[in-house]
Amino acid sequence: MLKVNSFKIRDVKAREILDCRGEPTLQVEVITENGVIGTADVPSGRSRSSYEAFELRDGGGRYRGKGVLKAVKNVNEIIAPALRGRDVRKQREIDMLLIELDGTENKSRLGGNAIVGVSLAVAKTAANALGIPLYRYIGGVNAHVLPVPILDLIEGGKLAASGLDFQEHQAIPIGAKSFSEAIRIGLEVYYELGAILENRYGKFSLNVGVEGGYAPHGMRDPREALEAILKAIEELGYQDKFVLGLDCAATHLYDKKSGKYNLMGREFTREELIDFYEDLVSTYPVKSIEDPLEENDFEGFAQLTRELNIQIIGDDLFATNIKRLRMGIEMRAANAILLKVNQAGTLTETLDVADLAFRSGYAVIVSERSGQTADTWLADLAVALNAGQIKTGVTRGERTAQYNRLLIIEEELGPTAKYAGRNYY
Ligand code: PGA
Ligand code: ZN
């Protein structure tokens, strides 16, 4: 029998650790009265929306201003005393309390990074105290769907030192039979693509961006990237197993003053960019586009959703914010949402956003941030939600850690594991 007090929080502690970029972030630890511990690492985005929960950084000279000691202090001195004695299983109650303690619209007092770390660590501790995996704790008895991995094979924009303006050029293995097959064929395409790029652009093209995708020197046109990926897929005879995708992160190509987008060294009006997408989608098997336009252009998003008949994902557009998602649903601005827990700021708010998305017929893509650690709560969250899609780069330790975790979950679920495949959305 479990002791009565085994779910009560004894303490909450935060510390400053490093993310994959070598920049400081928080690790939060929650411990129950009888010693069960759960820890969670906080991710950090670089290509951000203006509507995300606030990330509290120290400023000053230390770590070039990027330290998170103020956020650590907020956890240890303000949040911890408020949570002591509470039941770790009361996730919603605890998250509401965190929101109340902060008291601002965008979590700028205590810091979204402080709050999200506590929120996730509470969930992990509850799962540990119950002796069940995190995906089972959050998802319950029905968590069984392994997500389609959206593989960022060629990088540009803010995430890589390449000449490409779009952030991600993706291969999406919807035709695999299982998650492990999806990963295998995805990585085979990655190796083949490496050989193709090296041949055509030289060995410097094998340098990778933040998410482990190639950052080919001299490549400027997204069509070249799509063509190289397609060639790799075709060389392996996998045409029927993959579709292509893009994260344009167009907010970061947009010049507010001129109202135009900078792409391939020239200016595009919104209409020209929309035409460009129509052309891309009719030329290549591109079936998913994230943030094709800047984060306030709900109408342009709606036009593309109507006209392209593919998955249109709002990332910067929605910022995992329920008000923005509601607005998007009303305007039919997209048909999919990128779900980032640290954009929302708590697990509960993220689950509410996912719930509204599902009920509105939106696809949900559980997503990393470009600043990650090897913590794998992300993989568990994707399965917990039966989300059907995950976006977490391609190689580098903090990305493969997610895939490795999903491989373990697939094995654990055995014959009850279902790969989302062509039903991804
Ligand atoms: P970020 O980028 O994590 O740097 O914000 C990822 C994305 O835009 O999808
Ligand atoms: Zn994005």
Side-chain angles (χ1 to χ4, degrees):
M1 281 296 286
L2 290 168
K3 276 194 281 169
V4 186
N5 65 359
S6 62
F7 297 102
K8 273 197 183 161
I9 295 174
R10 184 205 294 164
D11 206 4
V12 181
K13 260 192 324 212
R15 59 179 67 94
E16 187 180 60
I17 61 164
L18 297 177
D19 71 13
C20 60
R21 276 193 267 259
E23 292 178 359
T25 189
L26 288 96
Q27 181 172 73
V28 179
E29 190 173 292
V30 170
I31 180 163
T32 65
E33 282 184 1
N34 63 342
V36 176
I37 292 177
T39 63
D41 298 353
V42 176
S44 167
R46 175 158 293 169
S47 160
R48 288 187 209 162
S49 168
S50 322
Y51 303 97
E52 302 190 7
F54 183 81
E55 191 178 78
L56 182 61
R57 299 272 180 192
D58 298 337
R62 193 174 166 274
Y63 279 119
R64 276 205 174 175
K66 289 178 188 291
V68 293
L69 293 182
K70 285 181 186 165
V72 165
K73 194 162 177 254
N74 288 345
V75 173
N76 294 343
E77 294 180 10
I78 300 173
I79 296 175
L83 259 48
R84 277 184 205 120
R86 299 218 169 227
D87 186 321
V88 273
R89 294 168 300 181
K90 302 210 163 161
Q91 186 73 40
R92 184 167 290 267
E93 205 175 287
I94 289 173
D95 285 346
M96 293 305 133
L97 176 70
L98 292 172
I99 292 167
E100 208 175 290
L101 265 181
D102 175 80
T104 67
E105 182 72 22
N106 65 346
K107 302 184 174 65
S108 54
R109 188 171 91 89
L110 300 178
N113 44 350
I115 291 171
V116 80
V118 173
S119 179
L120 287 165
V122 164
K124 277 189 145 189
T125 309
N128 291 345
L130 289 163
I132 56 176
L134 187 63
Y135 69 85
R136 181 67 61 217
Y137 172 64
I138 296 175
V141 288
N142 200 36
H144 70 292
V145 176
L146 273 293
V148 172
I150 298 182
L151 301 162
D152 178 12
L153 297 188
I154 298 183
E155 297 190 43
K158 279 184 148 23
L159 301 189
S162 79
L164 290 161
D165 302 296
F166 289 165
Q167 201 166 282
E168 305 184 18
H169 309 74
Q170 308 151 337
I172 312 177
I174 57 168
K177 295 276 176 289
S178 63
F179 177 76
S180 40
E181 187 194 346
I183 285 300
R184 174 178 63 79
I185 63 179
L187 270 294
E188 285 172 9
V189 169
Y190 178 77
Y191 312 146
E192 183 67 30
L193 176 63
I196 290 168
L197 293 176
E198 187 177 7
N199 244 324
R200 200 179 299 169
Y201 301 91
K203 71 171 181 181
F204 297 120
S205 62
L206 298 181
N207 286 328
V208 298
V210 172
E211 307 192 340
Y214 299 113
H217 212 70
M219 193 187 266
R220 292 226 62 186
D221 188 326
R223 288 168 294 197
E224 269 180 84
L226 292 174
E227 245 153 57
I229 295 171
L230 205 54
K231 183 152 189 269
I233 290 170
E234 284 166 358
E235 290 286 328
L236 296 166
Y238 287 161
Q239 298 88 306
D240 59 330
K241 293 189 190 295
F242 283 88
V243 293
L244 304 182
L246 291 170
D247 178 5
C248 307
T251 302
H252 308 287
L253 308 177
Y254 184 66
D255 180 353
K256 275 193 185 141
K257 276 200 205 99
S258 67
K260 294 196 176 130
Y261 293 88
N262 294 308
L263 182 62
M264 297 181 284
R266 74 172 187 87
E267 286 189 331
F268 279 64
T269 64
R270 169 177 181 258
E271 287 64 36
E272 284 170 328
L273 190 57
I274 288 175
D275 287 346
F276 183 70
Y277 292 131
E278 284 176 352
D279 198 52
L280 274 186
V281 168
S282 61
T283 312
Y284 303 100
V286 170
K287 298 291 179 201
S288 174
I289 302 185
E290 178 181 333
D291 285 346
L293 297 165
E294 58 96 12
E295 64 190 2
N296 293 306
D297 192 357
F298 281 79
E299 274 167 27
F301 265 78
Q303 185 185 339
L304 283 167
T305 303
R306 253 190 339 264
E307 288 170 6
L308 295 184
N309 199 28
I310 61 167
Q311 174 167 271
I312 301 292
I313 309 173
D315 170 14
D316 292 351
L317 180 75
F318 295 135
T320 318
N321 177 303
I322 201 146
K323 289 184 190 152
R324 294 186 68 82
L325 177 60
R326 265 196 209 113
M327 209 155 102
I329 290 165
E330 253 165 51
M331 295 183 67
R332 299 178 186 276
N335 50 34
I337 180 170
L338 208 74
L339 198 75
K340 291 170 164 171
V341 183
N342 78 323
Q343 282 182 335
T346 60
L347 179 59
T348 298
E349 287 165 285
T350 308
L351 296 177
D352 284 347
V353 167
D355 189 54
L356 175 62
F358 288 131
R359 283 189 288 111
S360 310
Y362 268 52
V364 171
I365 299 94
V366 173
S367 174
E368 62 177 359
R369 300 310 302 255
S370 54
Q372 278 280 136
T373 73
D375 190 349
T376 55
W377 53 259
L378 187 78
D380 279 71
L381 182 63
V383 177
L385 292 173
N386 289 331
Q389 298 179 69
I390 190 168
K391 198 176 88 154
T392 182
V394 57
T395 62
R396 299 176 58 137
E398 68 286 354
R399 322 285 149 182
T400 54
Q402 311 301 329
Y403 295 136
N404 292 341
R405 173 69 187 141
L406 287 166
L407 290 169
I408 291 170
I409 295 175
E410 181 181 54
E411 188 183 295
E412 209 166 87
L413 292 174
T416 65
K418 186 173 180 309
Y419 178 57
R422 293 186 196 279
N423 300 318
Y424 67 99
Y425 113 85

